[in-house]
Amino acid sequence: MAAHEVGWDSSNPRTRTAMVWGASLAVLSCSLVLAGTDRKVRDLGRADLSEVDASAVPYLVAVVATLLIGVALTLQVPNAVGPLFLGLSVSITAAAALDSTASLLLLAQPRRHMAWLLYLSEASFIPWLLLITWILACIPTGDPAGPRWRVWLRVVAVSAGLLLVTRSLLPGHFSAPFNGYRHPWEIHIGPALPVIRYAGGVILSSAPLVAAASLVVRYRRSEGEEKLQLRWVGFGAAVSFALLLVTAVAAAADSMVAVGISAGLALAVLPISTGIAVSRYRLFELDRLLSRTITWTLVTLVVVGTWSAVVLLVSTLLSARLDSPLAASVATLAAAGAAKPVLTAVGTAVDRRFRRRRWDALNVVNRYVQRPTGAPDPGVESVLALALEDPQLTVAYPQPDGGGWTDARGHHQPEPADGYVVERGGGVLAAVSSSATPALLADVCSAALPELEATGLRAVLKLRIEEIAASRERLSSVAVEERLRLERDLHDGAQQRLLAVLFALESAQRRPDDAGRASLAEATELTRTALAELRDLAHGLRPVHLDQGLQAALESLAVGSSVPTRVTVVGVPPEPLPNEALVAYYVVAEALSNTAKHASASHASVEVNYDGTRLRVSVRDDGNGLADPQGSGLRGILDRAEAARGSVNVVAEPGSGTCIELDLPCA
């Protein structure tokens, strides 16, 4: 049944851990009670009533298998299946302990009022039959296959309760050797109780078969690997039901040995088939837990065996006692030396068998990482997609300084929403988006760590190369436009003035009189005008105020700005910084121009700091904060900075203004 119906919080790790400890202690306690009482029953000369004989071996297998599967599922899977297996293991051992206890008490001190012990003993099959039904109906999700199956499970639970009650109320005797005892609370109220008992018995007896039918429904709805997983569970259910039929026939024939063997096997088959589905087809994704458990168990046995063998060998060769310090020391060194290679070898072998998907995936990645020099490189993203069998897998790499993300080709990518983050040394190397399980994804990415790191570096380098190429292309376009502007300004301005001077001088040569002198005066004025235009044009290439230092040039920009601007300069040397100062000047000029045109600001500030190695400039305003980093003006600022090996950071906060920060190396 669903976890919330059964009444526990299956998502709480503490609750699941408490269930595991409680069930384990209950199984241990019942086993100790069984061992103690069974021995005393034998001492009383009633070996025929012993619960611990050859027929008990299937029960032992059932208890161990059921408990192990229950522990694994309860700790790893937050649904009701694990606790149901735990309950089944407890009910099996409790039934055996109850049978043995009842036999001992009634043999040692026969009392009529203790007939209820016999009743509980004979009715102990009801809980485990009910639990088997629940397991078959709820595996593997923890919920029934649909609402109708949930209603049917409730009917089965009610029928089990009615059967438990009516068995105690109906008149009758217990089986030999206690056939002198009658049912403890028998009453005579007509045919109602027998009918209810019969109906409850039919429903409960057929419940495992019906539950197996719900498993068939799940199987038909499933596909791929899920179908293979349920096939094993369904096979176990079919065998278990067949063995229960054998048990019923054996009971009718009064063959108690056959009853014990067939009933024990019926209980053992289901957890064993579930364990096969877990190990072979990763049902419940318990392959990691199962693999580690088997690995460490085998390694422990090998190391202990090595230690014991070396102790025995050294003691024999030196004719020393087994507890000799020398033998113990040599054995400890041998065991310690064998531990690491044994762990590696056993871990590889066990993973290959019980974690085949992980083993295959790591094989693909390791062959790629260890490929010979010069071998074709399909790319780490393609290799991971092949290893994880996920064609939709994508890998994104972070740009330095929080600049966004890029793919392996150096193209900008959006920030991954739910990718697995690959880290190394506290830094993020990549984000892998895949449908694979987190544990498998972590193992595969760890194996591919060198290639992910190298690919990420190459991706960022490709991105930077593309950005530099785009920046150079933009600068080249700007240079062409600037040359065209200069050509136009020279043609329309200074060139026309100089032509006018030429014409005036020629006129003065032909008329050496007052008119000639007037022509000379006109030529002089035109020459002054042409010189001024050429000077202004030259200043457009390099501002004249830079000859007086960067501070003077920036203050001239502040004076000419339509937005009140404050300039603060710290550490700038008196001698000019030719290239860096020019870049800083134009960045500030463009920033103040954008502020005046678009920011609707009431105030701006320019702060400059020079520490001998770097020139840092900050331009702030209190405008609308709607600056677009991809706009033509700011794009030009970025291009100038990148061309000078610098960087620009633009922070625009709507309603709080814009800040443009320039960082230039001064070498």
Side-chain angles (χ1 to χ4, degrees):
M1 297 180 69
H4 60 275
E5 292 182 5
V6 178
W8 59 69
D9 181 8
S10 60
S11 63
N12 189 333
R14 292 185 178 180
T15 303
R16 298 201 303 270
T17 303
M19 289 179 185
V20 168
W21 279 106
S24 302
L25 291 175
V27 169
L28 178 61
S29 301
C30 291
S31 300
L32 294 176
V33 170
L34 173 62
T37 55
D38 190 80
R39 180 179 177 182
K40 292 183 178 181
V41 168
R42 288 176 176 272
D43 291 342
L44 292 174
R46 296 306 303 264
D48 58 311
L49 298 179
S50 173
E51 297 287 335
V52 183
D53 53 17
S55 64
V57 173
Y59 282 98
L60 177 61
V61 174
V63 170
V64 173
T66 306
L67 181 62
L68 290 178
I69 289 295
V71 169
L73 294 182
T74 303
L75 291 178
Q76 297 294 318
V77 182
N79 66 35
V81 178
L84 288 174
F85 270 109
L86 290 179
L88 182 58
S89 67
V90 173
S91 70
I92 297 172
T93 50
L98 183 60
D99 285 346
S100 183
T101 301
S103 298
L104 175 62
L105 293 178
L106 292 174
L107 287 173
Q109 294 181 344
R111 295 289 188 274
R112 294 291 178 183
H113 68 274
M114 297 182 68
W116 62 272
L117 283 174
L118 292 172
Y119 163 71
L120 292 178
S121 174
E122 289 195 354
S124 60
F125 74 95
I126 295 177
W128 58 257
L129 197 60
L130 185 61
L131 287 167
I132 288 178
T133 302
W134 279 348
I135 290 172
L136 291 175
C138 296
I139 200 169
T141 63
D143 290 313
R148 294 182 180 179
W149 293 102
R150 185 175 289 109
V151 172
W152 173 78
L153 278 178
R154 291 173 179 156
V155 171
V156 172
V158 172
S159 300
L162 291 176
L163 180 61
L164 192 65
V165 173
T166 54
R167 279 176 59 90
S168 67
L169 298 178
L170 284 172
H173 293 267
F174 295 102
S175 58
F178 303 108
N179 46 10
Y181 290 88
R182 299 185 62 84
H183 289 176
W185 303 292
E186 59 181 30
I187 58 176
H188 300 271
I189 58 172
L193 285 181
V195 171
I196 294 174
R197 175 185 176 181
Y198 179 78
V202 170
I203 293 175
L204 187 61
S205 300
S206 62
L209 180 60
V210 179
S214 77
L215 199 60
V216 173
V217 172
R218 288 184 189 271
Y219 178 80
R220 295 184 61 181
R221 293 175 182 174
S222 64
E223 57 185 18
E225 191 173 54
E226 184 182 0
K227 189 177 286 288
L228 295 175
Q229 294 170 346
L230 293 177
R231 181 178 297 173
W232 273 102
V233 179
F235 172 77
V239 174
S240 180
F241 183 75
L243 289 170
L244 288 176
L245 292 179
V246 172
T247 303
V249 173
D254 203 22
S255 176
M256 301 313 297
V257 174
V259 168
I261 294 175
S262 59
L265 290 175
L267 293 171
V269 166
L270 185 57
I272 290 175
S273 63
T274 304
I276 293 174
V278 167
S279 63
R280 190 165 184 177
Y281 295 108
R282 302 187 308 279
L283 179 65
F284 300 111
E285 295 293 343
L286 293 178
D287 49 356
R288 182 184 183 92
L289 177 66
L290 185 64
S291 173
R292 294 304 92 188
T293 302
I294 295 175
T295 297
W296 283 107
T297 301
L298 293 177
V299 170
T300 301
L301 292 176
V302 171
V303 171
V304 172
T306 301
W307 188 90
S308 302
V310 172
V311 167
L312 182 61
L313 178 62
V314 173
S315 300
T316 302
L317 293 176
L318 300 180
S319 299
R321 296 174 55 185
L322 290 178
D323 58 352
S324 167
L326 177 60
S329 300
V330 174
T332 302
L333 290 175
K340 180 62 176 179
V342 168
L343 177 61
T344 302
V346 173
T348 301
V350 172
D351 278 357
R352 184 172 184 175
R353 174 62 183 85
F354 292 97
R355 304 178 70 188
R356 189 55 187 251
R357 186 180 183 187
R358 176 182 181 273
W359 191 85
D360 289 338
L362 291 180
N363 244 1
V364 172
V365 174
N366 288 332
R367 284 199 302 269
Y368 170 67
V369 173
Q370 298 167 9
R371 68 190 184 281
T373 304
D377 184 1
V380 66
E381 184 171 331
S382 299
V383 172
L384 291 179
L386 177 63
L388 296 173
E389 302 176 1
D390 181 9
Q392 305 300 321
L393 180 142
T394 59
V395 183
Y397 304 93
Q399 300 178 33
D401 304 323
W405 296 79
T406 178
D407 61 11
R409 296 179 296 277
H411 299 157
H412 285 286
Q413 294 291 315
E415 182 177 357
D418 55 355
Y420 171 77
V421 177
V422 183
E423 298 182 343
R424 185 174 189 176
V428 177
L429 295 185
V432 182
S433 299
S434 172
S435 60
T437 61
L440 179 60
L441 193 58
D443 290 341
V444 170
C445 289
S446 178
L449 200 61
E451 292 297 331
L452 286 171
E453 185 174 18
T455 304
L457 293 174
R458 289 194 297 268
V460 172
L461 181 60
K462 289 178 183 178
L463 180 64
R464 291 292 178 262
I465 291 174
E466 288 189 3
E467 289 179 345
I468 291 173
S471 178
R472 287 181 175 177
E473 184 177 348
R474 288 191 296 270
L475 287 175
S476 177
S477 300
V478 171
V480 170
E481 293 176 0
E482 188 67 14
R483 284 196 298 271
L484 292 175
R485 186 187 67 79
L486 289 173
E487 180 181 348
R488 184 173 59 253
D489 291 348
L490 287 171
H491 179 273
D492 297 340
Q495 181 177 334
Q496 299 301 323
R497 305 298 182 192
L498 292 175
L499 285 174
V501 170
L502 177 60
F503 293 151
L505 291 175
E506 289 176 348
S507 176
Q509 287 178 343
R510 292 193 299 269
R511 301 170 61 187
D513 52 11
D514 292 342
R517 286 193 293 275
S519 295
L520 289 174
E522 182 182 358
T524 301
E525 186 62 29
L526 289 173
T527 301
R528 289 195 181 96
T529 302
L531 287 174
E533 290 181 354
L534 289 173
R535 188 181 300 111
D536 290 341
L537 188 61
H539 288 167
L541 297 177
R542 175 175 174 80
V544 66
H545 296 289
L546 279 178
D547 295 334
Q548 304 171 21
L550 179 60
Q551 182 171 357
L554 296 181
E555 288 176 347
S556 70
L557 287 176
V559 171
S561 174
S562 61
V563 177
T565 304
R566 176 175 55 86
V567 177
T568 303
V569 179
V570 178
V572 175
E575 64 272 11
L577 298 169
N579 186 49
E580 292 81 1
L582 186 62
V583 172
Y585 176 86
Y586 279 119
V587 167
V588 173
E590 182 67 32
L592 292 179
S593 175
N594 287 342
T595 298
K597 292 179 181 178
H598 310 296
S600 301
S602 60
H603 182 77
S605 64
V606 179
E607 298 179 3
V608 181
N609 188 288
Y610 175 72
D611 60 6
T613 59
R614 306 192 75 82
L615 180 65
R616 296 181 175 85
V617 180
S618 174
V619 182
R620 302 174 184 270
D621 65 58
D622 59 355
N624 51 33
L626 301 177
D628 181 11
Q630 300 302 321
S632 59
L634 292 180
R635 187 68 257 182
I637 289 176
L638 294 173
D639 289 341
R640 285 187 184 275
E642 290 174 358
R645 298 178 297 113
S647 62
V648 173
N649 182 38
V650 179
V651 179
E653 299 180 0
S656 300
T658 301
C659 177
I660 299 176
E661 298 174 337
L662 169 68
D663 187 354
L664 287 175
C666 300

